[in-house]
Amino acid sequence: PYPVFYQDEFSRFRGFNRAYVDMFNWSTGDMLGKTVLDLPTLPMDVRPQLKAEDDEVIATTGHLSREMVTPMADGNALDMLFYSVGFRKPDGTPGGLVATLVDITTRKNLERAAHAMAQEQQAIFDSVSIGIAFFVQRRFRQCNRLMERMFGYAPGELIGTTTLPLFVNSDDWAGLADTVQQAIDRDGVFKEERLMKRKDGSTLWI
């Protein structure tokens, strides 16, 4: 069901399956003997790059896998996963390549929707008037901008780091984990006032 084509050692199209012909709405003979430079549905500025990739795969008997936006004959564009692999003739010389396209538009649309939702949630997260952070094993997984400003860190600088630098001394940091866990197990929440440390070494009460 997937579009498949193959090229010869000179990157010329030598065959297509029915799915490929139907996708681009041309007859098999339209592109036989031509290269990607002649594909009418592709923008002129991307054709040389694609031709160079075809030449490289054929010359090295390599392979190429990447996502790409592919214009269709009806003017629409689909997100496609493109995969090509080179092959050699019996005498060992480059023979050409075989390639296929898989429509991944539905998956990419879901990814784009999830990304937009994540951006919206981050905007809400950053707009609240208190510092908020998520931790995994006492390392910052996520924090809002107010949290970063509160402790004097640049955007994203805390992500992946431990919470140790925020404590006035290491003993406080070492002893707090059990205290917090016990309170959460007992009451579902831990709450206290504590003197902590900014990046520049100054302190603040939180």
Side-chain angles (χ1 to χ4, degrees), residues 6 15 28 32 37 48 60 69 79-81 88 117 119 124-125 136 147 153 155 164 172 195 198:
Y6 68 93
T28 302
L32 288 179
L37 296 174
T60 63
V69 177
D79 290 290
M80 308 292 289
L81 175 63
R88 293 190 180 277
M117 184 179 297
Q119 287 183 312
I124 296 171
F125 187 60
V136 176
M147 183 80 170
Y153 288 85
L164 177 59
D172 283 351
L195 186 66
R198 297 186 179 93

Side-chain angles (χ1 to χ4, degrees), residues 9 15 60 68 121 156 186 188 192:
E9 65 268 35
T60 63
M68 60 188 295
Q121 291 174 340
R186 182 181 63 250
E192 74 163 11

Side-chain angles (χ1 to χ4, degrees), residues 45-74:
D45 58 336
V46 304
R47 296 183 194 182
Q49 175 191 342
L50 298 179
K51 175 63 163 56
E53 290 177 354
D54 289 346
D55 292 343
E56 177 71 12
V57 168
I58 293 170
T60 63
T61 322
H63 61 86
L64 174 70
S65 177
R66 64 180 172 86
E67 295 179 2
M68 60 188 295
V69 177
T70 305
M72 299 292 103
D74 60 6

Side-chain angles (χ1 to χ4, degrees), residues 12-157:
R12 297 176 301 202
F13 290 101
R14 288 301 182 188
F16 314 88
N17 68 346
R18 173 55 58 185
Y20 194 91
V21 172
D22 291 345
M23 173 175 285
F24 294 101
N25 194 29
W26 60 51
S27 66
T28 302
D30 288 341
M31 289 302 300
L32 288 179
K34 299 179 181 179
T35 72
V36 70
L37 296 174
D38 304 303
L39 283 175
T41 55
L42 290 178
M44 291 292 295
D45 58 336
V46 304
R47 296 183 194 182
Q49 175 191 342
L50 298 179
K51 175 63 163 56
E53 290 177 354
D54 289 346
D55 292 343
E56 177 71 12
V57 168
I58 293 170
T60 63
T61 322
H63 61 86
L64 174 70
S65 177
R66 64 180 172 86
E67 295 179 2
M68 60 188 295
V69 177
T70 305
M72 299 292 103
D74 60 6
N76 293 320
L78 298 178
D79 290 290
M80 308 292 289
L81 175 63
F82 174 78
Y83 183 79
S84 65
V85 59
F87 62 88
R88 293 190 180 277
K89 297 177 182 179
D91 63 5
T93 59
L97 65 78
V98 179
T100 186
L101 292 163
V102 180
D103 185 355
I104 57 171
T105 305
T106 300
R107 192 197 81 193
K108 296 299 291 186
N109 285 340
L110 290 173
E111 289 178 0
R112 284 187 281 266
H115 179 68
M117 184 179 297
Q119 287 183 312
E120 181 177 327
Q121 291 174 340
Q122 185 66 43
I124 296 171
F125 187 60
D126 284 333
S127 68
V128 297
S129 58
I130 57 175
I132 302 176
F134 297 143
F135 305 102
V136 176
Q137 296 181 342
R138 308 192 80 178
R139 289 184 178 272
F140 282 91
R141 174 66 61 85
Q142 185 181 8
C143 63
N144 65 354
R145 188 66 191 100
L146 183 58
M147 183 80 170
E148 294 166 330
R149 287 196 297 265
M150 186 186 304
F151 286 94
Y153 288 85
E157 189 176 0

